Amino acid sequence: MMQPVTLAHEGAVLNGELFLPKGTGVHPGVLVMHNALGLGAQVREVAADLAERGFAALATDMFGAEFGGDPARAGAYFAALQAQPDVLRSRVVAWHDRLAGLPDVDIDRTAAIGYCFGGFCVLELARSGAAVKAAVSFHGLLTTSLPATPGVIRGEVAAWCGGQDPFVPSGHIEGFRAEMATAGASSQITVFASAAHSFTDRDAASLGRPGVAYDALADRVSWAGTLALLDSVLRA
């Protein structure tokens, strides 16, 4: 079952989609955060899959408009948010607060996963000190102007990275590893040596960009690992 969830933030009206499991009662909640093209088919499919597994999954909207997958239009909003790190982080936190406050969600059992831009967003959520049990980034950007301070990260952090991702070079991965160590975070960073950017997106080739490609093995392994992590931290 899907129902719309609206969030007002900094003058923008954001339209998310909540996918609920069958049955009554409260459920562990998971934010599912989209790539730089906006809320689309991939995050809807992931959220629906998580709902079938017993999670209340909220596919978020960070831009506040429908883009139809148009990279030029979405890119402008993506760039604007990247240029306002405080606003971006505040918006991600606001979405988590919205999820945690829903009557179908157990406020003490929440997590966040994200793809590309969404992967960066969930890491910003973890860096904010939000009470998430896990933050999982799939081929997300790892650098930030607001790095985690010691002791601020409260849950598990997992980053699934592509070794051939031109947007996340090895120096960024090592920098992120050092940031997590300095922050004292419990983290897992996995690099698929032959995978490119967007390795979980079956339609990645349609973008026609070098360094962007689907990788079936990296997709399957990262998803299996994520499900194991969510089961461990949200069902304990």
Side-chain angles (χ1 to χ4, degrees), residues 6-230:
T6 301
L7 173 70
H9 182 265
E10 295 286 340
V13 178
L14 311 168
N15 300 297
E17 299 178 6
L18 177 66
F19 292 78
L20 290 172
K22 295 179 180 178
T24 59
V26 296
H27 312 279
V30 182
L31 288 182
V32 185
M33 308 203 72
H34 60 72
N35 62 22
L37 298 181
L39 202 168
Q42 182 183 25
V43 292
R44 288 187 175 102
E45 290 174 7
V46 169
D49 185 306
L50 289 171
E52 290 181 1
R53 299 174 187 273
F55 301 101
L58 177 56
T60 64
D61 166 23
M62 287 291 287
F63 297 155
E66 290 295 333
F67 298 99
D70 179 357
R73 294 182 64 206
Y77 280 80
F78 166 74
L81 277 178
Q82 289 288 87
Q84 303 176 83
D86 290 325
V87 173
L88 186 151
R89 183 175 289 188
S90 173
R91 183 164 295 181
V92 179
V93 171
W95 267 122
H96 176 257
D97 290 345
R98 188 76 172 91
L99 172 72
L102 293 172
D104 303 287
V105 173
D106 183 344
I107 191 173
D108 295 318
R109 293 187 295 157
T110 63
I113 70 174
Y115 298 83
C116 302
F117 168 64
F120 172 75
C121 288
V122 303
L123 295 179
E124 288 297 284
L125 180 65
R127 289 167 171 138
S128 78
V132 284
K133 298 291 188 182
V136 182
S137 169
F138 296 86
H139 40 81
L141 303 180
L142 302 178
T143 59
T144 181
S145 61
L146 302 168
T149 55
V152 72
I153 294 179
R154 301 168 65 178
E156 301 290 327
V157 174
W160 304 99
C161 308
Q164 303 303 313
D165 187 339
F167 305 107
V168 187
S170 59
H172 289 190
I173 294 172
E174 292 311 309
F176 180 69
R177 196 186 306 276
E179 179 194 356
M180 293 297 101
T182 299
S186 178
S187 63
Q188 176 64 48
I189 303 166
T190 302
V191 181
F192 298 101
S194 62
H197 189 65
S198 294
F199 59 76
T200 64
D201 187 351
R202 291 187 295 275
D203 297 322
S206 66
L207 295 176
R209 299 183 64 180
V212 178
Y214 176 66
D215 187 297
L217 179 60
D219 182 21
R220 290 183 64 183
V221 171
S222 60
W223 184 237
T226 297
L227 290 177
L229 175 58
L230 293 178

